[in-house]
Amino acid sequence: MTNLVDDLGQEMLYLPGTASLVQDIDKRVMVVLRDGRTLIGYLRSLDQFGNLLLTQTIERIHVRDKYGDIDRGVFLIRGENIVLCGETDFRNPKFRNLIRVTQEEILNIQAEELKEKQEKQKLLKKAFQEKGVPYYSIDEGDDAF
C-alpha cells in the first residue's frame, strides 16, 4: 500500500477500491446513480461489492438553476448502480447560485423539461428518418449493462 499526504501534511493510508470508502463512514456523501438520480445521505455501511447503506437520505433533483429535495429515508444502493460517490461540502460558493424550490415545484419543472426533451427527440428522429438515416435515442430501451 502507498502512503499519501493530505492537505495538512499528514500521512494518509491509501486503500484501493471499495475499501477507500471506509474513511467516509458516518459522513454525509453524495451518490450519483446510473439512472441519473442524485442521492445525499449519511454513509452507514458498505460491503466488498460496493453496496452502500445511506440514512437520512434525500434525492436531489436539479433542473437548470433550481433544485429540490425529496426525503427518501434509509436507502440501500447496489454497488453496480453507482457512478460517483464522495463526501459533500455544501458551503462551496458554487451552490449559492442555485435556487431551492419545493418538492412539488421541482417535480413539475422536471416533468416539463422531460416533455420538452421528448418532443425534441421526436423532431430529431423524424428529421433523421426523412434523410433515410436510422436514429437511436440514448433514452430508448434498456441500457447496455
Side-chain angles (χ1 to χ4, degrees), residues 74-90:
V74 177
F75 214 92
L76 179 62
I77 306 167
R78 190 175 169 122
E80 67 183 21
N81 293 316
I82 298 171
V83 174
L84 178 79
C85 178
E87 191 176 356
T88 56
D89 180 14
F90 293 108

Side-chain angles (χ1 to χ4, degrees), residues 74-129:
V74 177
F75 214 92
L76 179 62
I77 306 167
R78 190 175 169 122
E80 67 183 21
N81 293 316
I82 298 171
V83 174
L84 178 79
C85 178
E87 191 176 356
T88 56
D89 180 14
F90 293 108
R91 296 174 298 202
N92 189 324
K94 292 179 183 179
F95 292 108
R96 294 186 185 135
N97 298 334
L98 297 174
I99 302 165
R100 185 176 183 148
V101 296
T102 65
Q103 179 178 332
E104 293 78 24
E105 287 177 284
I106 198 66
L107 290 173
N108 289 337
I109 294 168
Q110 185 183 41
E112 289 171 16
E113 185 178 80
L114 181 61
K115 187 176 178 182
E116 289 171 12
K117 185 178 178 183
Q118 289 172 340
E119 289 173 11
K120 192 175 184 181
Q121 290 292 328
K122 284 181 186 177
L123 292 174
L124 195 57
K125 186 174 184 176
K126 185 178 178 183
F128 271 76
Q129 286 176 341

Side-chain angles (χ1 to χ4, degrees), residues 8-119:
L8 301 173
Q10 297 173 341
E11 199 170 309
M12 300 184 320
L13 182 63
Y14 172 72
L15 298 169
T18 308
S20 64
L21 288 173
V22 169
Q23 64 192 10
D24 290 331
I25 287 185
D26 292 332
K27 292 183 182 173
R28 194 169 188 203
V29 296
M30 178 168 54
V31 179
V32 179
L33 302 179
R34 257 187 3 189
D35 64 3
R37 289 186 292 168
T38 301
L39 301 173
I40 300 169
Y42 289 92
L43 180 61
R44 297 300 182 197
S45 182
L46 62 116
D47 65 11
Q48 71 271 23
F49 302 110
N51 300 323
L52 306 179
L53 180 69
L54 301 180
T55 59
Q56 299 177 23
T57 308
I58 58 168
E59 179 180 349
R60 179 155 290 173
I61 300 173
H62 294 95
V63 181
R64 295 182 284 277
D65 64 340
K66 296 180 174 65
Y67 75 94
D69 296 335
I70 301 171
D71 288 329
R72 296 293 185 199
V74 177
F75 214 92
L76 179 62
I77 306 167
R78 190 175 169 122
E80 67 183 21
N81 293 316
I82 298 171
V83 174
L84 178 79
C85 178
E87 191 176 356
T88 56
D89 180 14
F90 293 108
R91 296 174 298 202
N92 189 324
K94 292 179 183 179
F95 292 108
R96 294 186 185 135
N97 298 334
L98 297 174
I99 302 165
R100 185 176 183 148
V101 296
T102 65
Q103 179 178 332
E104 293 78 24
E105 287 177 284
I106 198 66
L107 290 173
N108 289 337
I109 294 168
Q110 185 183 41
E112 289 171 16
E113 185 178 80
L114 181 61
K115 187 176 178 182
E116 289 171 12
K117 185 178 178 183
Q118 289 172 340
E119 289 173 11

